[in-house]
Amino acid sequence: MLHSPIILGRTGYRPSFRAEEINRCPGCGGNHWYVGRITAECAFCGSALPIAVTGAREGPTARAA
């Protein structure tokens, strides 16, 4: 199982941090986070969550013609 590809829908529940939503910590229920480039850490208990990739980019991506 370690070398098999991840099949979405069969891997179980995977909590992740979503920047556009209110996030509750799965460990303590808090909602204050230290957000880094790859993970977000709960300010209360230190639980870390991966940041969900949404496909949206921040800032201008292209100029209007």
Side-chain angles (χ1 to χ4, degrees):
M1 184 86 184
L2 293 176
H3 300 289
S4 64
I6 295 173
I7 300 171
L8 296 176
R10 294 192 210 173
T11 56
Y13 176 68
R14 292 184 179 202
S16 60
F17 181 87
R18 299 185 186 277
E20 64 277 356
E21 297 177 10
I22 296 174
N23 296 280
R24 293 284 180 186
C25 176
C28 69
N31 63 349
H32 294 272
W33 298 89
Y34 296 118
V35 180
R37 291 174 42 197
I38 299 172
T39 61
E41 182 178 338
C42 177
F44 297 111
C45 71
S47 295
L49 295 178
I51 296 176
V53 178
T54 60
R57 296 178 66 159
E58 293 184 16
T61 57
R63 294 184 181 197

